Amino acid sequence: MDISIIQAILVFVVAFIMGIDQFSFLESLYQPIVTCPIIGAILGNFELGIVVGGAYQLMQIGSMPIGGAQPPNAIMGGIMATVFAVSLNMEATPEGVGAALGLAVPFAVFGQYAVTLTFTFMSGMMAKADKYAEEANVKGIRNINFLEMGVLGCLFGILAVAGLYGGTALGEALQDFARDFSWVMAGLDAAGGAMKFVGFAILMKVMMSNEMWGFLLAGFVMALLCSANSSTSGATLLLCAFVGVAIALYDFTTQTKIKQNAGAGAGYVGGDQDGI
């Protein structure tokens, strides 16, 4: 696949913005479900970008930074998964997408290194930021933040463009490799498919409590029943989401009434400390 200068510049701009958004804008633009379709559109295959983005989002759903520890970066992984999928002319199937996800993992690790390198560099600037804060120097603190954004954005942009050209060339070599060693691609496909479930498992480990298991099992049964029925299989996720919203609304209103009744009986009229 031939890459034009315009495409490379657009990929650089997207990676630059997403890199800043991950830690500064916080608009969730960096999520694979947003980044991958944009990269797919730039490379001429928007539909494949959507499929790759959805699959990679499932991988990342339970992956989050804890303290200074950074997980493999979702931005670089999503960009390179899309690049591999497009350059290898993969179809929007679980097999093709799974192989692209497996190939993109090393690049996600490079993104992790870029974040760690930036944070390490900026840690030396914190003493100066403290000094600016004592002096009420708003401009100085602002410039330090702009420096961090610029460094991180440029690192992501450079990595993305290097991966774009290198990934395309590598994609052609991998295409020949896949024909000769199909078992390797099958292994990558299996690994990519398993990563989605690992993401959910990590999320459940953090969020699940004993009283939530009933809802999980009920949702699992409902998903199986809806998917087994031809008239509802196409809207399984939507139906499960509606039921989940209904349960959440019922629980919220019930808990609110309990608190109100308890407050009324004790002469308590509520306050900010109890939240909503």
Side-chain angles (χ1 to χ4, degrees):
M1 182 180 69
D2 295 328
I3 303 297
S4 67
I5 297 298
I6 299 298
Q7 287 176 316
I9 293 174
L10 290 175
V11 169
F12 180 92
V13 171
V14 170
F16 184 90
I17 294 174
M18 300 309 179
I20 296 175
D21 177 71
Q22 185 174 12
F23 298 102
S24 300
F25 296 161
L26 301 178
E27 297 293 338
S28 293
L29 299 176
Y30 72 94
Q31 295 290 351
I33 196 67
V34 178
T35 304
C36 294
I38 296 175
I39 298 298
I42 293 173
L43 299 181
N45 198 330
F46 179 70
E47 179 183 355
L48 188 56
I50 293 177
V51 176
V52 173
Y56 204 95
Q57 188 70 55
L58 293 177
M59 286 173 52
Q60 291 292 322
I61 196 169
S63 179
M64 62 192 73
I66 305 297
Q70 292 294 320
N73 190 263
I75 299 172
M76 284 306 304
I79 290 175
M80 291 311 304
T82 308
V83 169
F84 279 123
V86 175
S87 63
L88 287 169
N89 294 318
M90 292 178 173
E91 297 180 0
T93 60
E95 293 77 14
V97 173
L101 297 181
L103 292 170
V105 170
F107 292 90
V109 175
F110 287 144
Q112 174 188 8
Y113 292 158
V115 173
T116 304
L117 178 64
T118 303
F119 285 0
T120 302
F121 169 72
M122 292 306 300
S123 65
M125 302 293 292
M126 293 303 100
K128 186 173 288 292
D130 290 338
K131 180 180 178 181
Y132 287 150
E134 292 176 359
E135 299 171 353
N137 187 344
V138 177
K139 184 177 179 180
I141 296 175
R142 182 194 64 191
N143 290 340
I144 288 178
N145 281 298
F146 284 162
L147 175 63
E148 182 272 335
M149 294 182 200
V151 171
L152 187 61
C154 287
L155 283 177
F156 272 85
I158 293 171
L159 284 174
V161 173
L164 178 64
Y165 283 104
T168 302
L170 183 59
E172 296 174 356
L174 288 173
Q175 206 166 20
D176 297 333
F177 182 83
R179 286 194 297 266
D180 299 331
F181 301 94
S182 58
W183 58 273
V184 176
M185 299 304 289
L188 290 173
D189 173 36
M195 289 177 189
K196 296 177 287 187
F197 303 102
V198 171
F200 270 108
I202 295 173
L203 183 66
M204 289 174 59
K205 183 178 180 180
V206 174
M207 296 183 62
M208 285 297 290
S209 56
N210 292 334
E211 62 267 21
M212 296 297 179
W213 281 101
F215 294 112
L216 175 66
L217 296 176
F220 178 72
V221 172
M222 181 181 175
L224 287 179
L225 293 176
C226 290
S227 60
N229 191 329
S230 59
S231 61
T232 58
S233 60
T236 298
L237 290 178
L238 187 61
L239 293 173
C240 291
F242 277 134
V243 172
V245 170
I247 294 174
L249 289 174
Y250 174 78
D251 182 70
F252 174 75
T253 55
T254 301
Q255 295 296 329
T256 301
K257 289 179 180 179
I258 292 174
K259 291 180 180 180
Q260 289 175 346
N261 293 335
Y268 174 67
V269 293
D272 294 338
Q273 72 272 19
D274 201 32
I276 58 175

